[in-house]
Amino acid sequence: MKLNLFPSWTQRAAEPEPLVEAAAGKQSAPAAPALNDEQLALVGVLHQLLQTLPQAYSGRESVKRLCQMILPASPRIRLVWVGFCQDDSEATIKPAAIVGPARGESDHWQLAKDCFDYVAPFAQVADWEAGHDSDFHALFTPWQAHPEHCSAKAALAIPLRSEKARMHGMMVFYADSEDYFSETGFASFQAFGHVCEVIWKQSNLSHLLTRQVQLDSLTGLLTRRRIVHVYEEAVAATAVDESPLSILYCQLDDFHKINDLYGWAVADNILAAFAKDTGAQLRKTDSGGRWNATEFLYVLPATDTVDADNLAETFLGHFKHHPVNIENWSIRLALSIGVATYGADGRGLDELIHYATQHLRSSAEDEL
């Protein structure tokens, strides 16, 4: 059963509020209703949230912290549930955060994806006599197998909005009284939902900015700065476990001719296809980065010279037998690859790259 959360607004429009008599005999604006103890506690938590939530949002952890800060405001709140989904998500959604004393009352806390379709807040009451097929139970599905364990009597769902059309979010509050939300009001809970929205949006923005800093937008490989950082981390790990470390330096030969002949759009697609094909040859522990416009660097932890040479041969063999197909063109790439091993061929990244460029192996040589 979906409840109208704002009936009082229409009532107030039809029934004018009494005016307060001012000291000078003039009528003034209606006095604001006094907040009860429950409302004051919720407002206090809201102010505390705005003061203490971190400016550098960490997504899931900040959402969980938000829920944890809400609970002490009232012993009547049994559970706070937050979840996010996309259009192609499964039929039931797992929570991104869930806190409260009622957590032990169910083995699973997934809610139906249909709950996320609402664009306005809605409330439900745990009316178990209505039957399992009733929409009364959309927010109470975790208890349907054992309704006798359910200490929550009412639920209030606050939809969370995102700039992405396919993304949906929802924050659900569970209370131990059917009248709790109607008596307490919805403003504080909607404000909590707005704070959760801000965290969610800032987290998505932070993730997007991080991707832009760390990933090359054209190829999806790491940026030059990021691949240098990966190399430094690999060197530090090598110093601890004494495992080998190699790099593979790769450049596309005469690529300007492809750009002149086919145009920049086809050339960009070729670069993206090259990055995808080389990435398919790597292990999960390997990392690839775009070093310059047509030059690429691969960091290979736990890889000695022999294994790095074998990977170089794999790269050369793949592009020798698999031309890149872009639009109506089938283009065979010419590339040169050099290998260098940490310690044997240098220690600094500049030294290793210099060694690799001095010992390049060209795919054109294999065709002679």
Side-chain angles (χ1 to χ4, degrees), residues 67-326:
C67 298
Q68 291 171 334
M69 293 181 69
I70 294 172
L71 279 176
S74 172
R76 311 296 301 275
I77 300 176
R78 299 295 299 162
L79 198 74
V80 182
W81 188 104
V82 178
F84 307 97
C85 74
Q86 300 184 25
D87 288 347
D88 56 356
S89 298
E90 299 293 332
T92 56
I93 307 300
K94 296 179 180 179
I98 178 170
V99 298
R103 280 200 64 179
E105 298 175 2
S106 177
D107 296 329
H108 71 88
W109 288 101
Q110 298 184 19
L111 295 182
K113 179 184 172 183
D114 293 344
C115 295
F116 291 74
D117 293 338
Y118 291 86
V119 295
F122 64 97
Q124 294 179 341
V125 175
D127 183 2
W128 299 110
E129 297 181 358
H132 287 279
D133 295 331
S134 171
D135 64 355
F136 275 108
H137 298 92
L139 298 177
F140 289 89
T141 50
W143 288 282
Q144 282 192 355
H146 299 285
E148 69 277 6
H149 296 164
C150 181
S151 63
K153 304 302 180 184
L156 174 65
I158 308 294
L160 307 178
R161 295 176 293 275
S162 169
E163 294 86 352
K164 298 180 180 179
R166 299 177 64 251
M167 290 291 296
H168 312 275
M170 189 171 67
M171 190 173 196
V172 187
F173 302 89
Y174 293 89
D176 63 1
S177 168
E178 293 183 3
D179 301 325
Y180 176 80
F181 296 110
S182 59
E183 293 176 350
T184 306
F186 315 113
S188 295
F189 300 102
Q190 288 182 280
F192 290 136
H194 290 321
V195 174
C196 193
E197 277 183 0
V198 171
I199 295 174
W200 183 26
K201 292 175 181 178
Q202 291 291 343
S203 177
N204 289 338
L205 178 60
S206 176
H207 177 70
L208 177 61
L209 293 175
T210 300
R211 283 182 58 86
Q212 290 179 342
V213 170
Q214 296 186 351
L215 297 182
D216 176 65
S217 59
L218 177 60
T219 63
L221 296 175
L222 298 177
T223 60
R224 179 169 179 158
R225 178 179 295 182
R226 183 58 184 169
I227 196 67
V228 169
H229 181 69
V230 169
Y231 169 77
E232 292 171 347
E233 289 182 331
V235 169
T238 295
V240 174
D241 57 23
E242 299 182 352
S243 60
L245 170 64
S246 296
I247 68 162
L248 189 152
Y249 178 86
C250 180
Q251 66 182 30
L252 299 180
D253 299 330
D254 299 324
F255 196 77
H256 65 281
K257 296 180 180 179
I258 293 178
N259 195 52
D260 294 340
L261 183 60
Y262 300 102
W264 63 267
V266 171
D268 283 352
N269 288 333
I270 289 176
L271 288 174
F274 171 81
K276 180 180 179 181
D277 286 356
T278 54
Q281 318 298 324
L282 301 177
R283 302 165 301 180
K284 290 184 178 180
T285 54
D286 301 332
S287 299
R290 191 179 184 188
W291 191 249
N292 282 317
T294 58
E295 300 172 8
F296 302 85
L297 181 69
Y298 300 87
V299 177
L300 315 173
T303 305
D304 57 21
T305 303
V306 174
D307 290 336
D309 282 334
N310 290 336
L311 180 59
E313 291 295 335
T314 299
F315 277 23
L316 293 170
H318 175 83
F319 290 102
K320 178 180 179 181
H321 298 99
H322 299 85
V324 176
N325 296 308
I326 301 296

